[in-house]
Structure formats: structure tokens, C-alpha cells
Amino acid sequence: MSWNLTLFQLANVLFCLSYAVRDILWLRLLSVVAGFCLLPYFLDGPKGCQNAPIFWQTVYISINGWNLFLLLRERRVIPLSADQERLRQLVFQDLSPREAHHLLSKAEWKSFTPSDVIIQAGVISEELVVLFHGHAAVEIDGNEIAALRDGQFVGEISYLTGGPTTADVVAVTEVVTAVWRRDDLQALFQRSPAIGQKLQNTLGQDMARKLSSQSSG
């Protein structure tokens, strides 16, 4: 058996393996290697008959190669800063480090001193706010009705419903928050719907815990 026929057989084995794997990255990789294995077989074919198969095989290799590059770029590990990793562990554990990077890189960090108003009653929130560090109080007419601590969302109901906030949120200690603008989040969710779904789940869990805490209190 000639070496180019051996490569032809190897290419078909690789194509079979690519159809058997579930990971799209391996499918692309095996397809690219199989495509290169086929080229010598076509080059050694009858004169005048190689051009079309070589052309199309080159097209297939190029398409799979480009998509392989995109997949590798998407899956590369992006290190998070210490604060970003702490916030991921506090709030966004469902997100992979890469997904967390996409979300947390859009956040703006804001600091407050005791008695500063973080969220004012009667406004429509266009920002999603999470308490990164410190304690805050939810107040109506100066009376505290709930306490907020690290990892809890602030004013999220107004953000989700588009209605006005019903209470003030006031810093009790030194407070640091992470803040996302609505437009930035919507643009991110259009590119990465999975991140949007996971954030919705996280918001739902946070609200459920708050309701449970209020009921038990």
C-alpha cells in the first residue's frame, strides 16, 4: 500500500472519529488533520482531476481551521483579579472563569462611607448593583426593614421590573459595590445568552433567600 493511500485510509478513520466525539473542539481538530491527510491522495490523482477536490478540501480545512481557532480562543483561561475571583465565589459561582471575566470586566466599582445613600427610594434603577464588601440597611422613612451583606444584590427589583425603588439603601459601614449599566449587560447577553440566563438564575436565588429571611424574621 502506497504512503498516500495509507494517508487516505487514516483520513477516513479520523473523519469517523470526528463524527463520534461530542466535543466540537475535537471534531474540528480531527477534521482539520483528516483534511491534510487527504491532500496528498488528491495530489497524486489523475492529471486534470485534482483541481476540484484539492480546492474543496482546502476550503473545508480553512473553515474548520478558522472555527478551531475561535474555539481555542474562547476556551483559553483568563485569570481573574483577586477582587473578581472573590466576587465570583460570593455571587457568580455558576459562571465559568471565562464567563465571569466577560461579566466582571463590565463592572464599575463604587465606594461608600457610612450613612451614604447607595440607592434612593422613588428612582428607576438603570444599574444592577451587588454588595461586594460591607453592610447596608434597607430603610423606609428612616426605619430599617432589612440588612444587606456581602454578595447580595441591591435594588434589583427596580432594575428587573423597570418600576421605581420603594426604599432607601444606606451604607452602615464602609461599602464597596460592583455596578453594571443596563446597556452594557444587554449587549453582553446578546453575545453570550448563557451568561444572561445564569445571571437571571442568580438574581432569582438571591430574591428567594431575601424573601425567606423576611418570612422567618
Side-chain angles (χ1 to χ4, degrees), residues 17-217:
L17 288 175
S18 72
Y19 299 144
V21 297
R22 295 185 178 183
D23 191 329
I24 188 67
L25 176 66
W26 280 102
L27 187 153
R28 297 290 187 185
L29 179 59
L30 290 169
S31 296
V32 168
V33 176
F36 279 112
C37 290
L38 278 180
L39 286 177
Y41 178 80
F42 293 135
L43 285 169
D44 198 43
K47 298 299 181 182
C49 299
Q50 310 109 311
N51 293 341
I54 290 173
F55 169 78
W56 286 111
Q57 198 58 45
T58 303
V59 170
Y60 300 148
I61 291 172
S62 300
I63 293 172
N64 279 309
W66 175 249
N67 282 284
L68 178 62
F69 166 76
L70 294 178
L71 285 168
L72 289 171
R73 188 177 68 174
E74 288 175 0
R75 296 190 184 189
R76 76 183 189 276
V77 176
I78 299 178
L80 301 174
S81 69
D83 285 346
Q84 288 176 331
E85 179 59 27
R86 178 175 182 268
L87 186 56
R88 185 176 83 89
Q89 293 297 331
L90 275 173
V91 187
F92 305 110
Q93 294 183 18
D94 289 344
L95 296 180
S96 68
R98 183 172 184 81
E99 290 172 329
H101 170 77
H102 288 314
L103 177 64
L104 300 181
S105 64
K106 301 292 183 184
E108 178 184 355
W109 301 88
K110 294 183 179 181
S111 299
F112 300 88
T113 58
S115 300
D116 284 349
V117 176
I118 302 172
I119 298 286
Q120 187 174 11
V123 300
I124 296 176
S125 179
E126 290 297 322
E127 296 178 333
L128 184 63
V129 182
V130 66
L131 195 61
F132 174 70
H133 176 73
H135 295 173
V138 181
E139 298 181 354
I140 295 180
D141 297 329
N143 298 314
E144 181 176 336
I145 61 170
L148 299 176
R149 285 171 170 73
D150 299 7
Q152 291 186 299
F153 288 94
V154 181
E156 70 280 5
I157 295 178
S158 173
Y159 174 83
L160 291 171
T161 64
T165 54
T166 58
D168 295 316
V169 178
V170 181
V172 176
T173 65
E174 296 286 339
V175 166
V176 178
T177 62
V179 181
W180 292 266
R181 291 190 294 271
R182 185 186 299 275
D183 290 345
D184 289 339
L185 287 178
Q186 288 177 342
L188 174 62
F189 299 160
Q190 287 179 354
R191 297 193 304 271
S192 303
I195 297 178
Q197 184 59 56
K198 290 179 181 179
L199 180 57
Q200 290 288 340
N201 293 341
T202 300
L203 281 165
Q205 292 167 8
D206 182 73
M207 287 189 289
R209 285 192 294 267
K210 287 175 180 174
L211 289 173
S212 176
S213 176
Q214 290 175 4
S215 298
S216 62

